[in-house]
């Protein structure tokens, strides 16, 4: 972790310690910590999907993303991935990036620092086994970072990232229209990181359908602005910030596929 990133992590930890629970999920905090809210290149948008991989729903998202020709970043739960290792590999092989969400979906505020570290390490190891490269990104359940989360992420070489706009697709009564309205209110614009879920394992049963239904319109919004959808490492210029770290993206064949399908 660079000195700059470390400084961001330390200041974020200070905010968490002094401002109380769930603070990092609040929009004002995310706006003032640009490294956390996923503010990326002005010409790209990052679509992120949390809580999978889920054999009931994730394949629908993969088919839709392939049809639309865009890459996404999946923040996976180790406990889900362990039950569907083939699906985890498929996400990688189809050109998407995979980040760490946790092993369980418990809030880090309710776990000891040792338990948090163990969960993140175990999930990162699973991703390494499936992708052949370690994950780079970490997003905690509920977007809630504890001081223990930040220490564990730093030790594991994971960079915390939240989002700039969400669809609130996990809510009871969410529809494609409400998901789109929430995302547009937060901003489907250059530099944005969008949050949706490809599993309902921590939400209202069936809620992923509203997120899936919104994908085509989200991509349409981006295309009208001449934006390109990018994996998190491309969106946040990981290579430029960490020149010594080799690209741990998708296999060469799929990388070419995604590049040629990118819009804008
Ligand atoms: Zn989640």
């Amino acid at each position: 972790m660079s000195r700059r990133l470390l400084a961001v992590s330390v200041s974020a930890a200070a905010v968490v310690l002094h401002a109380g629970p769930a603070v990092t999920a609040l929009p004002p905090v995310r706006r003032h910590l640009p490294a956390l809210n996923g503010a990326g290149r002005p010409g790209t948008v990052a679509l992120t999907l949390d809580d999978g991989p889920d054999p009931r729903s994730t394949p629908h998202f993969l088919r839709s993303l392939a049809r639309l020709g865009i890459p996404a970043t999946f923040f996976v739960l180790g406990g889900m991935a362990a039950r569907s290792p083939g699906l985890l590999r498929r996400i990688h092989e189809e050109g998407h990036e995979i980040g760490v969400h946790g092993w369980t979906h418990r809030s880090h505020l309710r776990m000891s620092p040792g338990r948090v570290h163990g969960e993140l390490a175990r999930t990162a190891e699973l991703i390494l086994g499936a992708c052949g490269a370690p994950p780079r990104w970490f997003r905690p359940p509920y977007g809630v970072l504890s001081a223990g989360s930040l220490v564990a992420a730093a030790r594991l070489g994971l960079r915390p990232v939240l989002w700039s706009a969400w669809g609130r697709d996990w809510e009871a009564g969410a529809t494609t229209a409400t998901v789109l309205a929430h995302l547009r209110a937060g901003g489907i614009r250059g530099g944005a990181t969008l949050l949706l879920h490809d599993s309902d394992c921590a939400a209202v049963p069936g809620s992923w359908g509203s997120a899936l239904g919104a994908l085509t319109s989200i991509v349409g919004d981006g295309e009208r602005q001449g934006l390109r959808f990018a994996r998190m490492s491309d969106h946040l210029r990981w290579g430029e910030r960490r020149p010594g770290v080799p690209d741990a993206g998708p296999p060469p064949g799929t990388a070419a596929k995604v590049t040629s399908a990118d819009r804008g």
Side-chain angles (χ1 to χ4, degrees):
M1 175 175 282
S2 71
R3 190 172 302 164
R4 182 172 169 277
L5 291 180
L6 187 61
V8 168
S9 295
V10 169
S11 60
V15 169
V16 173
L17 289 172
H18 289 104
V23 67
T24 56
L26 298 174
V29 173
R30 285 186 281 112
R31 270 199 299 277
H32 288 100
L33 290 171
L36 272 183
N37 76 6
R41 296 174 192 247
T44 61
V45 179
L47 175 64
T48 65
L49 296 161
D50 290 8
D51 294 359
D54 189 329
R56 297 168 305 156
S57 48
T58 302
H60 295 290
F61 284 83
L62 290 174
R63 273 194 293 276
S64 192
L65 293 170
R67 178 177 56 80
L68 292 164
I70 66 160
T73 300
F74 290 75
F75 285 91
V76 303
L77 292 170
M80 297 288 283
R83 288 194 288 274
S84 302
L87 187 52
L88 186 69
R89 274 195 304 278
R90 181 181 161 192
I91 292 170
H92 169 67
E93 288 166 1
E94 295 194 6
H96 307 292
E97 187 161 12
I98 299 177
V100 172
H101 197 32
W103 189 269
T104 66
H105 206 274
R106 285 183 64 195
S107 167
H108 287 186
L109 296 174
R110 298 172 59 203
M111 285 193 274
S112 69
R115 171 79 189 271
V116 169
H117 182 274
E119 284 216 1
L120 301 192
R122 206 173 159 200
T123 304
E125 196 170 324
L126 199 64
I127 295 170
L128 171 63
C131 305
R136 296 163 166 174
W137 307 100
F138 155 62
R139 173 182 289 161
Y142 310 105
V144 177
L145 286 160
S146 67
S149 315
L150 293 167
V151 170
R155 284 175 60 192
L156 293 166
L158 295 168
R159 183 173 165 192
V161 63
L162 299 180
W163 57 86
S164 62
W166 60 16
R168 302 189 72 89
D169 47 322
W170 64 87
E171 292 182 327
T175 64
T176 291
T178 65
V179 168
L180 270 175
H182 283 300
L183 284 173
R184 285 169 175 162
I188 302 175
R189 61 170 77 98
T193 292
L194 311 179
L195 167 64
L196 292 173
H197 297 76
D198 62 309
S199 171
D200 58 9
C201 72
V204 174
S207 56
W208 55 267
S210 62
L212 181 69
L215 292 183
T216 300
S217 296
I218 292 168
V219 172
D221 278 19
E223 285 182 337
R224 276 191 290 280
Q225 299 171 71
L227 301 172
R228 182 173 65 86
F229 283 80
R231 297 177 303 137
M232 192 59 73
S233 289
D234 302 322
H235 184 56
L236 295 181
R237 310 181 190 200
W238 177 282
E240 292 168 33
R241 291 179 181 178
R242 294 281 297 270
V245 177
D247 182 7
T254 53
K257 181 179 69 180
V258 168
T259 300
S260 64
D262 279 353
R263 311 301 172 88

